[in-house]
Amino acid sequence: MKTALRRIVAAMIAILSISLLAAPRAEARKTLRILAVGNSFSDDAMEYLPALLESMGIDDVELARLYVGGCSLEQHLRFHVGGESRYEFYRSAAGENRWVKSKERVSLRDALSLGEWDIITLQQASGYSGRYESYQPYLDALTGIIRAAQPRAKLAWHMTWSYSTDSTHGQFADYGRDRRRMYDAICSAVRELARHTSAFSTIIPSGTAIESLRMSEINNPPKDLTRDGYHMDYGAGRYALACVWYETLIRPFARKSMRDDTLRIEKGDVHVDDRVAALCRKAARKAARKNFTPRRIERRGE
């Protein structure tokens, strides 16, 4: 009897062991790591991202940004070639969702050496953003440098926005001081970029989302969602950009709708309440689907 029982137990253990081995193992989702090589426009775009992630309960995204005000592609390359530690460095650790500024300035090489980045973004300085001839040969050189240091990283291009109707920025004259003309020039330059290089797998259409919102009920002409004619408003402008970056870069990883977002902002000229948040989210989704097609945004049908 005991021998038979032992055999039954042994058989059951064997069957259980086989079933456990055959069962698929749940893979732990790794942290998504995003690095922006930019200037004040990437600061505008990313400032509220940690707070947005926190409001949605997302704790597995790390963000970082390199900042030099007004930095162009040419300057980024010059800093790298010269080995210059010129960048202010901000980092938001996964699970903490708050920006921490490095005490010391860093170089592009320093940032690229901080483990494996999943996504690295680049952009042109705003005044040159609609002139593709200003992108090269610096863009090709920078993408080569980044690919050599981070061969597995995906590159994303941050398509920035046009200035406001009343902007006094010195380079606005290059676009006839016409907001829509500048936006069209930016679209043309980014299309040219896509034709000439396959380095970028994603376009972050910040400019298109902002242009859509400028056709909506929340626009505040002549500022057009800016605080000074070119930098984004501390309320709806920056919030909308965070939504664009989330929708374009993070949602495919997190697989979570922004409808779970509870972030509301009482800053700037256009505060983010429920109505404004819904319009910004909608503009971000539409821009992510059609990068170069601004649409009039209305509340219904979010």
Side-chain angles (χ1 to χ4, degrees):
M1 179 71 73
K2 289 183 179 179
T3 302
L5 183 59
R6 289 194 190 98
R7 286 175 180 170
I8 293 171
V9 172
M12 291 177 64
I13 292 172
I15 292 170
L16 180 60
S17 299
I18 291 170
S19 64
L20 287 173
L21 288 171
R25 295 180 180 178
E27 292 185 5
R29 191 169 76 173
K30 67 165 191 166
T31 297
L32 177 68
R33 304 184 72 229
I34 301 172
L35 170 67
V37 181
N39 49 45
S40 59
F41 274 41
S42 50
D43 271 22
D44 273 351
M46 298 183 78
E47 181 62 31
Y48 291 154
L49 259 182
L52 183 67
L53 296 176
E54 184 71 15
S55 78
M56 295 173 64
I58 296 172
D59 61 3
D60 50 3
V61 177
E62 178 180 349
L63 305 168
R65 65 187 202 252
L66 291 168
Y67 164 79
V68 169
C71 200
S72 67
L73 294 170
E74 180 181 5
Q75 287 173 309
H76 286 306
L77 181 60
R78 190 167 66 244
F79 293 156
H80 179 76
V81 171
E84 298 181 57
S85 298
R86 295 288 297 274
Y87 297 96
E88 292 181 12
F89 185 62
Y90 298 82
R91 198 170 186 175
S92 173
E96 295 185 9
N97 288 332
R98 63 183 181 88
W99 289 115
V100 176
K101 183 180 178 181
S102 172
K103 293 180 180 179
E104 298 180 354
R105 299 207 174 201
V106 304
S107 67
L108 175 58
R109 185 175 286 107
D110 293 332
L112 292 175
S113 68
L114 294 174
E116 276 195 10
W117 295 103
D118 298 295
I119 301 172
I120 298 174
T121 75
L122 281 169
Q123 65 191 58
Q124 179 58 299
S126 64
Y128 299 112
S129 59
R131 296 169 51 195
Y132 182 72
E133 66 272 16
S134 74
Y135 290 28
Q136 298 291 8
Y138 320 108
L139 180 60
D140 285 347
L142 283 168
T143 56
I145 289 162
I146 291 170
R147 284 208 174 282
Q150 292 281 336
R152 296 185 181 180
K154 293 182 179 179
L155 298 186
W157 180 260
H158 184 206
M159 187 183 98
T160 54
W161 52 93
S162 63
Y163 299 155
S164 70
T165 302
D166 69 346
S167 179
T168 58
H169 193 288
Q171 289 178 283
F172 199 23
D174 294 344
Y175 306 95
R177 299 200 170 278
D178 185 312
R179 189 196 83 202
R180 189 56 190 249
R181 179 175 165 185
M182 184 176 183
Y183 168 75
D184 289 342
I186 293 169
C187 289
S188 178
V190 178
R191 285 193 177 101
E192 193 77 3
L193 176 150
R195 283 193 292 269
H196 283 83
T197 177
S198 60
F200 295 91
S201 60
T202 304
I203 293 170
I204 310 168
S206 293
T208 296
I210 294 302
E211 200 62 28
S212 292
L213 289 170
R214 286 169 170 173
M215 294 188 285
S216 79
E217 63 190 73
I218 71 169
N219 192 33
N220 60 334
K223 284 191 174 181
D224 299 319
L225 301 178
T226 71
R227 62 183 185 268
D228 57 8
Y230 44 103
H231 293 110
M232 279 288 98
D233 176 72
Y234 288 125
R238 280 186 162 185
Y239 173 82
L241 297 181
C243 292
V244 175
W245 279 57
Y246 178 83
E247 189 72 22
T248 309
L249 302 182
I250 301 174
R251 183 173 180 174
F253 168 81
R255 297 184 180 181
K256 196 168 187 179
S257 168
M258 281 188 291
R259 289 185 182 182
D260 296 327
D261 155 50
T262 58
L263 178 63
R264 299 296 177 262
I265 302 163
E266 294 185 1
K267 293 181 181 179
D269 292 329
V270 184
H271 292 182
V272 179
D273 55 18
D274 289 348
R275 175 182 65 95
V276 171
L279 291 170
C280 291
R281 293 194 299 260
K282 191 171 184 179
R285 287 195 299 274
K286 287 183 176 293
R289 293 190 193 112
K290 293 192 175 182
N291 294 168
F292 305 108
T293 308
R295 302 278 185 88
R296 183 177 180 83
I297 303 299
E298 299 177 354
R299 176 72 184 270
R300 68 175 183 271
E302 188 198 355

